[in-house]
Amino acid sequence: MKLVSYSQHGQTRLGAVQRGKIIDLAGAAHRFAAATNREVPHARFAAMADLLSSPKETIRTANEIVAWAQKNAPEEMINLDTAEIEVPLSNPSKIICIGLNYADHCRETGIPIPESPVLFCKFITSLLPHGGQITWSRAMTQQVDYEAELALIIGKKAFNVSEEAALEHVGGYTILNDVSARDVQFSDGQWVRGKSFDTFCPIGPFVVTADALPNPHALDIQSRVNGAIMQNSNTAEMIFKIPYLISYISRSITLMPGDIISTGTPHGVGIGQDPQVFLKAGDTVEVEVEGIGILINTVH
């Protein structure tokens, strides 16, 4: 199931995306329950984090509701292209990112493949929805770069989990652009500030539930700037796969429902180009991940 958080009448709502339309899940759940005389966990369909942390039975019910609504209440669906898209999750407790996690990216930068995952964080104030503008003070940085990434959202609390059980803790997958101020990133000696400027974490627009994306390690991933392909790879190039990442992180850090883990970027980032390519006002940046969609943002 493909999900989206969107704004309607000043309220954030959770929708299922079907053929360019959005089905309001909470509203459809009420109509479905009345029509079928079934008990439905309505509260689970009001927000992204609630649904992604639900039992598998609830996800199956959500799929039933979507199929029912398409057939019985098509007039209730709204056009995706006219909706105000929001970030999938506005208040995760953590955004954990993995550096140097693609073999092709290590090759282009001349950096040896790391022996263990390289972790850093982005602050939640950096979150930016699909369609939002990436912006920054030019006095602070002159080298702003793009990074196409597959991100996962934790659905079930995880601490010290095994690799074998790790995927049971994934609620869904989305797209993240790990925008980076390279001059700040490398001059600081650590990466957090250069990665966490406001607007430097575009994310979305969609979340695909884990059941609908059984193999996250075989997805084409691409970034484009003003239509020109910059990154073009596949998640098979990941050095540390998702089950290992979840297990590794959870040995020391409790992962909570709604937490985001961004799994790294492939080759083709701006700093690795010859000549180097950095974002400038007026640019349009697209990040596409197979099976999820396209995240589009402009630069102000």
Side-chain angles (χ1 to χ4, degrees):
M1 181 168 41
K2 184 176 288 188
L3 303 169
V4 65
S5 294
Y6 67 104
S7 181
Q8 189 176 49
H9 308 306
Q11 290 188 322
T12 299
R13 307 191 71 83
L14 176 62
V17 179
Q18 290 287 330
R19 300 184 183 92
K21 302 279 189 176
I22 298 176
I23 300 168
D24 172 22
L25 275 177
H30 280 283
R31 293 189 293 275
F32 174 82
T36 62
N37 199 29
R38 286 176 56 179
E39 290 189 12
V40 174
H42 297 90
R44 290 289 188 176
F45 302 118
M48 185 75 73
D50 292 332
L51 184 58
L52 295 182
S53 62
S54 296
K56 292 180 180 178
E57 296 77 14
T58 303
I59 301 296
R60 285 195 289 268
T61 300
N63 279 302
E64 284 188 69
I65 291 169
V66 170
W68 178 90
Q70 283 184 280
K71 182 178 179 180
N72 294 280
E75 71 281 355
E76 299 290 338
M77 301 168 69
I78 66 172
N79 290 324
L80 177 62
D81 57 8
T82 61
E84 184 179 345
I85 306 300
E86 299 191 0
V87 295
L89 298 135
S90 61
N91 195 32
S93 73
K94 294 179 281 296
I95 305 171
I96 300 174
C97 299
I98 313 299
L100 305 173
N101 196 35
Y102 275 70
D104 54 9
H105 182 46
C106 290
R107 289 195 295 269
E108 77 170 340
T109 57
I111 297 174
I113 290 176
E115 295 181 2
S116 58
V118 177
L119 271 61
F120 61 93
C121 293
K122 293 175 87 80
F123 298 136
I124 65 170
T125 47
S126 66
L127 287 168
L128 184 71
H130 170 79
Q133 290 189 327
I134 302 167
T135 186
W136 65 90
S137 166
R138 271 57 178 182
M140 296 298 298
T141 175
Q142 299 293 316
Q143 297 183 349
V144 176
D145 208 345
Y146 52 85
E147 292 191 9
E149 307 205 1
L150 169 69
L152 65 93
I153 300 169
I154 294 295
K156 184 170 69 172
K157 182 179 177 180
F159 179 75
N160 200 27
V161 301
S162 67
E163 287 185 62
E164 293 72 21
L167 290 182
E168 297 174 10
H169 296 263
V170 178
Y173 299 92
T174 190
I175 303 169
L176 189 146
N177 184 354
D178 179 19
V179 180
S180 308
R182 298 301 191 190
D183 40 6
V184 176
Q185 176 187 356
F186 296 123
S187 66
D188 278 3
Q190 51 76 32
W191 297 358
V192 174
R193 185 169 71 105
K195 299 277 193 172
S196 289
F197 282 32
D198 289 359
T199 76
F200 274 23
C201 190
I203 188 170
F206 308 124
V207 173
V208 174
T209 53
D211 64 307
L213 202 66
N215 184 7
H217 301 112
L219 306 175
D220 290 336
I221 181 170
Q222 189 176 97
S223 69
R224 299 180 290 272
V225 177
N226 302 325
I229 297 173
M230 309 303 287
Q231 296 176 275
N232 192 21
S233 187
N234 190 282
T235 56
E237 284 276 339
M238 283 187 199
I239 298 164
F240 303 105
K241 307 302 185 187
I242 289 170
Y244 183 82
L245 291 174
I246 293 171
S247 178
Y248 178 84
I249 295 168
S250 74
R251 292 176 209 164
S252 52
I253 301 168
T254 299
L255 296 169
M256 300 299 295
D259 283 353
I260 297 165
I261 300 175
S262 200
T263 58
T265 199
H267 73 98
V269 296
I271 199 170
Q273 304 281 342
D274 184 17
Q276 293 178 334
V277 176
F278 296 114
L279 298 178
K280 62 186 184 304
D283 284 348
T284 297
V285 187
E286 300 172 84
V287 178
E288 182 171 4
V289 178
E290 181 183 2
I292 302 178
I294 306 174
L295 169 65
I296 304 174
N297 297 93
T298 55
V299 178
H300 178 66

